[in-house]
mmCIF file of all heavy atoms in Angstrom:
data_model
loop_
_atom_site.group_PDB
_atom_site.id
_atom_site.type_symbol
_atom_site.label_atom_id
_atom_site.label_comp_id
_atom_site.label_asym_id
_atom_site.label_seq_id
_atom_site.Cartn_x
_atom_site.Cartn_y
_atom_site.Cartn_z
ATOM 1 N N ASP A 18 113.562 80.988 90.916
ATOM 2 C CA ASP A 18 112.485 81.951 90.672
ATOM 3 C C ASP A 18 112.197 81.990 89.171
ATOM 4 O O ASP A 18 113.114 82.083 88.358
ATOM 5 C CB ASP A 18 112.902 83.340 91.169
ATOM 6 C CG ASP A 18 111.736 84.313 91.175
ATOM 7 O OD1 ASP A 18 111.298 84.719 90.071
ATOM 8 O OD2 ASP A 18 111.269 84.672 92.271
ATOM 9 N N PRO A 19 110.918 81.921 88.757
ATOM 10 C CA PRO A 19 110.592 81.882 87.321
ATOM 11 C C PRO A 19 110.985 83.139 86.568
ATOM 12 O O PRO A 19 111.008 83.127 85.332
ATOM 13 C CB PRO A 19 109.076 81.664 87.299
ATOM 14 C CG PRO A 19 108.597 82.084 88.645
ATOM 15 C CD PRO A 19 109.707 81.793 89.601
ATOM 16 N N ARG A 20 111.299 84.231 87.270
ATOM 17 C CA ARG A 20 111.745 85.430 86.570
ATOM 18 C C ARG A 20 113.177 85.306 86.060
ATOM 19 O O ARG A 20 113.619 86.099 85.229
ATOM 20 C CB ARG A 20 111.615 86.650 87.498
ATOM 21 C CG ARG A 20 110.180 87.093 87.704
ATOM 22 C CD ARG A 20 110.045 88.112 88.834
ATOM 23 N NE ARG A 20 110.129 87.477 90.146
ATOM 24 C CZ ARG A 20 109.937 88.130 91.294
ATOM 25 N NH1 ARG A 20 109.680 89.427 91.287
ATOM 26 N NH2 ARG A 20 110.007 87.471 92.446
ATOM 27 N N LEU A 21 113.890 84.327 86.547
ATOM 28 C CA LEU A 21 115.215 84.005 86.028
ATOM 29 C C LEU A 21 115.097 82.795 85.103
ATOM 30 O O LEU A 21 114.274 81.909 85.343
ATOM 31 C CB LEU A 21 116.177 83.694 87.169
ATOM 32 C CG LEU A 21 116.444 84.819 88.168
ATOM 33 C CD1 LEU A 21 117.321 84.315 89.302
ATOM 34 C CD2 LEU A 21 117.078 86.019 87.491
ATOM 35 N N THR A 22 115.927 82.765 84.081
ATOM 36 C CA THR A 22 115.883 81.652 83.139
ATOM 37 C C THR A 22 117.283 81.080 82.936
ATOM 38 O O THR A 22 118.279 81.816 82.962
ATOM 39 C CB THR A 22 115.326 82.087 81.771
ATOM 40 O OG1 THR A 22 116.113 83.165 81.257
ATOM 41 C CG2 THR A 22 113.887 82.538 81.901
ATOM 42 N N PRO A 23 117.383 79.762 82.746
ATOM 43 C CA PRO A 23 118.688 79.158 82.484
ATOM 44 C C PRO A 23 119.358 79.797 81.278
ATOM 45 O O PRO A 23 118.711 80.112 80.275
ATOM 46 C CB PRO A 23 118.341 77.687 82.214
ATOM 47 C CG PRO A 23 117.063 77.463 82.947
ATOM 48 C CD PRO A 23 116.307 78.747 82.819
ATOM 49 N N GLY A 24 120.653 80.002 81.392
ATOM 50 C CA GLY A 24 121.416 80.608 80.311
ATOM 51 C C GLY A 24 121.685 82.087 80.499
ATOM 52 O O GLY A 24 122.498 82.661 79.775
ATOM 53 N N MET A 25 121.021 82.717 81.460
ATOM 54 C CA MET A 25 121.259 84.136 81.710
ATOM 55 C C MET A 25 122.710 84.384 82.110
ATOM 56 O O MET A 25 123.316 83.589 82.832
ATOM 57 C CB MET A 25 120.354 84.663 82.822
ATOM 58 C CG MET A 25 118.955 85.027 82.391
ATOM 59 S SD MET A 25 118.019 85.760 83.768
ATOM 60 C CE MET A 25 116.635 86.460 82.877
ATOM 61 N N THR A 26 123.268 85.481 81.645
ATOM 62 C CA THR A 26 124.586 85.915 82.090
ATOM 63 C C THR A 26 124.445 86.705 83.378
ATOM 64 O O THR A 26 123.327 87.082 83.784
ATOM 65 C CB THR A 26 125.244 86.792 81.031
ATOM 66 O OG1 THR A 26 124.473 88.004 80.882
ATOM 67 C CG2 THR A 26 125.332 86.075 79.687
ATOM 68 N N ALA A 27 125.569 86.989 84.008
ATOM 69 C CA ALA A 27 125.545 87.791 85.231
ATOM 70 C C ALA A 27 124.939 89.168 84.964
ATOM 71 O O ALA A 27 124.150 89.677 85.768
ATOM 72 C CB ALA A 27 126.959 87.923 85.787
ATOM 73 N N ALA A 28 125.293 89.776 83.837
ATOM 74 C CA ALA A 28 124.775 91.108 83.515
ATOM 75 C C ALA A 28 123.269 91.080 83.310
ATOM 76 O O ALA A 28 122.554 92.019 83.713
ATOM 77 C CB ALA A 28 125.465 91.648 82.268
ATOM 78 N N GLU A 29 122.764 90.016 82.698
ATOM 79 C CA GLU A 29 121.318 89.906 82.466
ATOM 80 C C GLU A 29 120.564 89.615 83.757
ATOM 81 O O GLU A 29 119.460 90.145 83.980
ATOM 82 C CB GLU A 29 121.051 88.795 81.447
ATOM 83 C CG GLU A 29 121.538 89.106 80.047
ATOM 84 C CD GLU A 29 121.522 87.895 79.134
ATOM 85 O OE1 GLU A 29 121.579 86.750 79.647
ATOM 86 O OE2 GLU A 29 121.471 88.089 77.901
ATOM 87 N N ALA A 30 121.147 88.778 84.593
ATOM 88 C CA ALA A 30 120.439 88.344 85.796
ATOM 89 C C ALA A 30 120.496 89.358 86.924
ATOM 90 O O ALA A 30 119.547 89.455 87.725
ATOM 91 C CB ALA A 30 121.014 87.013 86.282
ATOM 92 N N ALA A 31 121.575 90.132 87.031
ATOM 93 C CA ALA A 31 121.818 90.975 88.207
ATOM 94 C C ALA A 31 120.660 91.906 88.553
ATOM 95 O O ALA A 31 120.242 91.962 89.724
ATOM 96 C CB ALA A 31 123.117 91.757 88.034
ATOM 97 N N PRO A 32 120.090 92.678 87.612
ATOM 98 C CA PRO A 32 119.000 93.583 88.006
ATOM 99 C C PRO A 32 117.748 92.846 88.457
ATOM 100 O O PRO A 32 117.041 93.310 89.367
ATOM 101 C CB PRO A 32 118.746 94.405 86.735
ATOM 102 C CG PRO A 32 119.330 93.618 85.623
ATOM 103 C CD PRO A 32 120.481 92.871 86.200
ATOM 104 N N ILE A 33 117.473 91.693 87.855
ATOM 105 C CA ILE A 33 116.308 90.908 88.267
ATOM 106 C C ILE A 33 116.542 90.334 89.661
ATOM 107 O O ILE A 33 115.643 90.335 90.515
ATOM 108 C CB ILE A 33 116.041 89.788 87.251
ATOM 109 C CG1 ILE A 33 115.828 90.383 85.859
ATOM 110 C CG2 ILE A 33 114.832 88.953 87.674
ATOM 111 C CD1 ILE A 33 115.755 89.339 84.755
ATOM 112 N N VAL A 34 117.753 89.845 89.891
ATOM 113 C CA VAL A 34 118.106 89.300 91.202
ATOM 114 C C VAL A 34 117.962 90.362 92.279
ATOM 115 O O VAL A 34 117.437 90.100 93.372
ATOM 116 C CB VAL A 34 119.541 88.736 91.172
ATOM 117 C CG1 VAL A 34 120.029 88.411 92.575
ATOM 118 C CG2 VAL A 34 119.607 87.496 90.291
ATOM 119 N N GLN A 35 118.392 91.586 91.992
ATOM 120 C CA GLN A 35 118.281 92.660 92.977
ATOM 121 C C GLN A 35 116.817 92.958 93.302
ATOM 122 O O GLN A 35 116.449 93.169 94.459
ATOM 123 C CB GLN A 35 118.961 93.923 92.459
ATOM 124 C CG GLN A 35 118.960 95.081 93.457
ATOM 125 C CD GLN A 35 119.697 94.745 94.747
ATOM 126 O OE1 GLN A 35 120.903 94.531 94.729
ATOM 127 N NE2 GLN A 35 118.978 94.678 95.857
ATOM 128 N N THR A 36 115.963 92.940 92.279
ATOM 129 C CA THR A 36 114.532 93.163 92.500
ATOM 130 C C THR A 36 113.942 92.085 93.395
ATOM 131 O O THR A 36 113.206 92.376 94.353
ATOM 132 C CB THR A 36 113.788 93.189 91.151
ATOM 133 O OG1 THR A 36 114.252 94.302 90.377
ATOM 134 C CG2 THR A 36 112.285 93.317 91.363
ATOM 135 N N ILE A 37 114.270 90.817 93.102
ATOM 136 C CA ILE A 37 113.727 89.717 93.900
ATOM 137 C C ILE A 37 114.253 89.778 95.328
ATOM 138 O O ILE A 37 113.495 89.581 96.295
ATOM 139 C CB ILE A 37 114.079 88.365 93.252
ATOM 140 C CG1 ILE A 37 113.500 88.285 91.835
ATOM 141 C CG2 ILE A 37 113.563 87.205 94.104
ATOM 142 C CD1 ILE A 37 114.000 87.086 91.034
ATOM 143 N N ALA A 38 115.558 90.048 95.490
ATOM 144 C CA ALA A 38 116.149 90.134 96.823
ATOM 145 C C ALA A 38 115.485 91.242 97.634
ATOM 146 O O ALA A 38 115.207 91.076 98.839
ATOM 147 C CB ALA A 38 117.649 90.375 96.717
ATOM 148 N N THR A 39 115.204 92.370 96.994
ATOM 149 C CA THR A 39 114.536 93.479 97.685
ATOM 150 C C THR A 39 113.151 93.061 98.140
ATOM 151 O O THR A 39 112.708 93.402 99.252
ATOM 152 C CB THR A 39 114.460 94.699 96.757
ATOM 153 O OG1 THR A 39 115.789 95.096 96.384
ATOM 154 C CG2 THR A 39 113.772 95.871 97.450
ATOM 155 N N GLU A 40 112.457 92.296 97.301
ATOM 156 C CA GLU A 40 111.129 91.797 97.684
ATOM 157 C C GLU A 40 111.217 90.879 98.900
ATOM 158 O O GLU A 40 110.359 90.938 99.790
ATOM 159 C CB GLU A 40 110.493 91.044 96.505
ATOM 160 C CG GLU A 40 110.117 91.945 95.333
ATOM 161 C CD GLU A 40 109.576 91.149 94.154
ATOM 162 O OE1 GLU A 40 109.539 89.894 94.262
ATOM 163 O OE2 GLU A 40 109.195 91.769 93.157
ATOM 164 N N TYR A 41 112.230 90.022 98.931
ATOM 165 C CA TYR A 41 112.389 89.143 100.089
ATOM 166 C C TYR A 41 112.478 89.951 101.373
ATOM 167 O O TYR A 41 111.827 89.624 102.377
ATOM 168 C CB TYR A 41 113.669 88.307 99.949
ATOM 169 C CG TYR A 41 113.615 87.201 98.906
ATOM 170 C CD1 TYR A 41 114.781 86.562 98.493
ATOM 171 C CD2 TYR A 41 112.418 86.761 98.361
ATOM 172 C CE1 TYR A 41 114.767 85.549 97.564
ATOM 173 C CE2 TYR A 41 112.398 85.745 97.420
ATOM 174 C CZ TYR A 41 113.567 85.140 97.017
ATOM 175 O OH TYR A 41 113.553 84.147 96.097
ATOM 176 N N PHE A 42 113.302 90.979 101.359
ATOM 177 C CA PHE A 42 113.527 91.752 102.579
ATOM 178 C C PHE A 42 112.355 92.661 102.923
ATOM 179 O O PHE A 42 112.199 93.082 104.066
ATOM 180 C CB PHE A 42 114.827 92.545 102.474
ATOM 181 C CG PHE A 42 116.049 91.717 102.754
ATOM 182 C CD1 PHE A 42 116.578 90.882 101.788
ATOM 183 C CD2 PHE A 42 116.643 91.725 104.004
ATOM 184 C CE1 PHE A 42 117.688 90.087 102.058
ATOM 185 C CE2 PHE A 42 117.741 90.939 104.297
ATOM 186 C CZ PHE A 42 118.252 90.110 103.314
ATOM 187 N N ALA A 43 111.530 92.961 101.923
ATOM 188 C CA ALA A 43 110.315 93.740 102.187
ATOM 189 C C ALA A 43 109.163 92.855 102.648
ATOM 190 O O ALA A 43 108.100 93.353 103.008
ATOM 191 C CB ALA A 43 109.916 94.515 100.931
ATOM 192 N N GLY A 44 109.394 91.551 102.628
ATOM 193 C CA GLY A 44 108.373 90.612 103.061
ATOM 194 C C GLY A 44 107.257 90.424 102.060
ATOM 195 O O GLY A 44 106.162 90.005 102.419
#
C-alpha cells in the first residue's frame, strides 16, 4: 500500500496499518 514506505519501524507503521485494515473490513 502506498501509504506505507520502506524503512518504517513497527511503531511508525502500526497506526497506518490499522487504518488500512479497518478499510478492508469496511469494504
Side-chain angles (χ1 to χ4, degrees):
D18 190 289
R20 287 169 283 185
L21 298 175
T22 57
M25 278 184 166
T26 65
E29 292 168 336
I33 302 172
V34 169
Q35 183 61 65
T36 296
I37 300 170
T39 300
E40 291 176 358
Y41 288 167
F42 280 80

